[in-house]
Amino acid sequence: MSETVQLTINDKSYDLPVIKGSENEKAIDISKLRAQTGYITIDTGFKNTGSTTSAITFLDGENGILRYRGYPIEQLAEKANFLEVCYLLIYGNLPTKTEFSSFTNNITNHTLVHEDMRSFLNAYPTKAHPMGILSASLCTLSTFYPESHEQNRSEESVDLTIYRLLAKLPTLAAWAYQNAVGHPVMYPKNKYNYCENFLQMMFAMPAFNYEPEPVIVDALNKLLILHADHEQNCSTSTVRVVGSSQANLYASISAGVSALWGPLHGGANQAVIEMLEKILNDGGGLKKWVEKAKDKEDSFRLMGFGHRVYKNFDPRAKIIKKAADDVLNKLGIVDPVLDIAKELEEVALNDEYFQSRGLYPNVDFYSGIIYRALGIPTEMFTVMFAMGRLPGWIAQWKEMMKDNQPIGRPRQIYTGEKERNYKSIEKR
Ligand code: ACO
């Protein structure tokens, strides 16, 4: 017999069905609650609310487990190629050789961005944040492909939008950076793989040749994989909610980029490095900063610490910490910010405040250190995150469309004024 949970309201009992996941996670199904009882539930920040069932990513925050379509993140980060992971997330299985070659070709052949997009780019102020440019550019792309607005899209047309998004986002991201530094934009080159191509668009110049170093390409590949999906986080939920109104995929992804930008979400990677630099410039004394983070009167938080779902450790942070060490060693870089990061981790992890609240370094605590070592400027860190998260957003949007989910529209409990009558301005 299937499990139910009993809810009693004013002596009347209701049996609510329990939904079980493939890893035995349990949820109380309240989809008929209002119709049956007149009540709704309140859960600001959705801390206890499952917005959907999903077959894409499994995350166990207590035990630090993260799997994409069943594959452990540790194995994928160690052995896979980012485009392989994109295919896995979006289509459900690892690609065969033929599938991978066709997928890669399709992406390689769509990396060019329409020249008219350059007019938009040229109009941004030189100091424009690249996340603002990226979000706006992705939405603008939809105007170049009006067929993406059509309802009842064919599978082929959705696939084409997917190739275009995966192919063009790195081009747009690199252009946003070139715009900020006043350099000429570099065009994609088909001889390079996905990561190499992005790096050459970032760092090549018409005046000299640039060949991406394998150490840097490997590190970038790993970082993109680690960020590729994270189930129903703030930006992914945004993509799903925007997409649930049947808005096109470009617009939905653009909304996801905006949600990611905030410092409590993807913007944390930029905020972490800015914080570590501040601590370093302040003389490196950590105690003062840890005390500030614990002080409820002070708005300062240790950026890169804490996570809504990981309360023991973030498995991605473990992999990234090791990768940061490897990259710095291989490139022969000594970064005092890395030393501050390690000391801060040590101090915070031994502090009762952080221990009792389950606050551990998250994925963004060390990613910025690798990005710095790769020569990527701080303002681009969240853009790098967006590049990694893109396949996850696409997979989640695709799943929601396939499942024909209803429009996302929460309810509320109104706490404002009761009805009152309008008075003309002379009588107020
Ligand atoms: N520094 C100091 N105290 C913190 C921190 C922190 N980084 N994070 C949480 N706390 C404290 C809170 O003040 C609260 O304390 P209280 O119980 O005494 O009131 C308690 O820990 C719980 O914090 P919440 O904000 O309720 O936890 P929530 O799950 O809502 O927030 C979040 C998670 C947003 C990630 C939070 O830990 C935070 O702001 N971290 C810093 C920003 C950051 O690194 N974000 C990146 C997250 S990873 C990602 O999105 C890719």
Side-chain angles (χ1 to χ4, degrees), residues 325-380:
D325 270 332
D326 287 352
V327 168
L328 265 59
N329 280 338
K330 281 185 192 155
L331 296 177
I333 295 173
V334 178
D335 189 346
V337 160
L338 179 63
D339 297 333
I340 293 277
K342 284 184 175 168
E343 277 174 51
L344 184 59
E345 179 181 352
E346 189 68 25
V347 174
L349 291 185
N350 286 309
D351 191 294
E352 193 278 332
Y353 173 94
F354 291 89
Q355 285 173 346
S356 62
R357 288 169 178 77
L359 300 171
Y360 292 83
N362 57 48
V363 66
D364 286 327
F365 192 64
Y366 284 104
S367 66
I369 289 163
I370 308 189
Y371 287 136
R372 264 161 70 99
L374 306 191
I376 292 171
T378 316
E379 286 215 324
M380 279 294 287

Side-chain angles (χ1 to χ4, degrees), residues 47 227 263-266 268 272 293-294 296 300-309 311 314 316 353-354 357 359 362-364 385 389:
K47 294 193 177 195
H227 285 91
L264 296 191
H265 189 15
V272 168
K294 288 155 60 173
K296 294 290 164 205
F300 175 77
R301 281 189 165 200
L302 280 192
M303 299 313 286
F305 266 79
H307 198 278
R308 172 60 60 80
V309 287
K311 300 300 177 195
D314 179 340
R316 303 165 302 170
Y353 173 94
F354 291 89
R357 288 169 178 77
L359 300 171
N362 57 48
V363 66
D364 286 327
F385 191 153
R389 185 53 55 87

Side-chain angles (χ1 to χ4, degrees), residues 308-325:
R308 172 60 60 80
V309 287
Y310 293 123
K311 300 300 177 195
N312 278 323
F313 69 96
D314 179 340
R316 303 165 302 170
K318 264 194 168 178
I319 302 170
I320 281 198
K321 184 179 177 184
K322 188 176 170 304
D325 270 332

Side-chain angles (χ1 to χ4, degrees), residues 85-106:
V85 172
C86 291
Y87 189 99
L88 171 71
L89 286 167
I90 296 168
Y91 299 107
N93 283 303
L94 283 169
T96 60
K97 260 190 187 167
T98 323
E99 286 166 341
F100 188 55
S101 140
S102 145
F103 184 63
T104 310
N105 281 340
N106 275 318

Side-chain angles (χ1 to χ4, degrees), residues 121-338:
L121 202 74
N122 292 337
Y124 288 110
T126 41
K127 291 285 166 234
H129 196 288
M131 280 298 273
I133 300 184
L134 184 66
S135 173
S137 310
L138 286 168
C139 207
T140 307
L141 270 188
S142 70
T143 65
F144 288 80
Y145 305 110
E147 68 280 5
S148 66
H149 312 181
E150 283 164 16
Q151 305 303 305
N152 305 318
R153 293 164 278 241
S154 67
E155 220 170 286
E156 291 73 33
S157 138
V158 172
D159 280 344
L160 186 57
T161 304
I162 293 173
Y163 304 144
R164 283 182 173 140
L165 272 165
L166 287 167
K168 294 181 202 306
L169 193 147
T171 312
L172 291 169
W175 283 9
Y177 166 66
Q178 302 289 25
N179 182 64
V181 289
H183 288 173
V185 301
M186 296 303 295
Y187 284 86
K189 287 192 177 143
N190 287 5
K191 68 172 182 169
Y192 290 122
N193 70 28
Y194 196 78
C195 292
E196 290 168 342
N197 196 29
F198 171 71
L199 289 166
Q200 74 85 18
M201 286 190 286
M202 282 285 288
F203 299 120
M205 287 285 246
F208 60 80
N209 275 334
Y210 168 88
E211 277 307 320
E213 282 185 55
V215 183
I216 298 187
V217 176
D218 287 351
L220 179 57
N221 181 60
K222 197 182 288 266
L223 281 163
L224 296 182
I225 291 174
L226 289 175
H227 285 91
D229 194 47
H230 213 231
E231 50 118 299
Q232 309 311 317
N233 56 80
C234 175
S235 55
T236 301
S237 301
T238 302
V239 170
R240 277 190 177 251
V241 169
V242 173
S244 75
S245 74
Q246 306 282 319
N248 67 72
L249 184 53
Y250 296 103
S252 308
I253 300 289
S254 156
V257 170
S258 298
L260 187 74
W261 192 358
L264 296 191
H265 189 15
N269 55 12
Q270 176 176 341
V272 168
I273 287 293
E274 286 167 354
M275 175 191 77
L276 293 172
E277 283 172 342
K278 210 166 163 182
I279 296 177
L280 188 69
N281 294 335
D282 189 52
L286 295 177
K287 203 164 176 295
K288 167 180 150 192
W289 296 93
V290 171
E291 289 311 313
K292 267 169 81 64
K294 288 155 60 173
D295 182 357
K296 294 290 164 205
E297 303 300 310
D298 193 325
S299 60
F300 175 77
R301 281 189 165 200
L302 280 192
M303 299 313 286
F305 266 79
H307 198 278
R308 172 60 60 80
V309 287
Y310 293 123
K311 300 300 177 195
N312 278 323
F313 69 96
D314 179 340
R316 303 165 302 170
K318 264 194 168 178
I319 302 170
I320 281 198
K321 184 179 177 184
K322 188 176 170 304
D325 270 332
D326 287 352
V327 168
L328 265 59
N329 280 338
K330 281 185 192 155
L331 296 177
I333 295 173
V334 178
D335 189 346
V337 160
L338 179 63

Side-chain angles (χ1 to χ4, degrees), residues 66-82 84-85 88-89 94 221-222 225-226:
L66 175 64
R67 295 184 203 131
Y68 300 159
R69 302 280 189 188
Y71 294 98
I73 190 67
E74 292 79 7
Q75 290 181 22
L76 294 171
E78 187 62 35
K79 299 176 185 160
N81 170 289
F82 175 62
E84 232 182 327
V85 172
L88 171 71
L89 286 167
L94 283 169
N221 181 60
K222 197 182 288 266
I225 291 174
L226 289 175

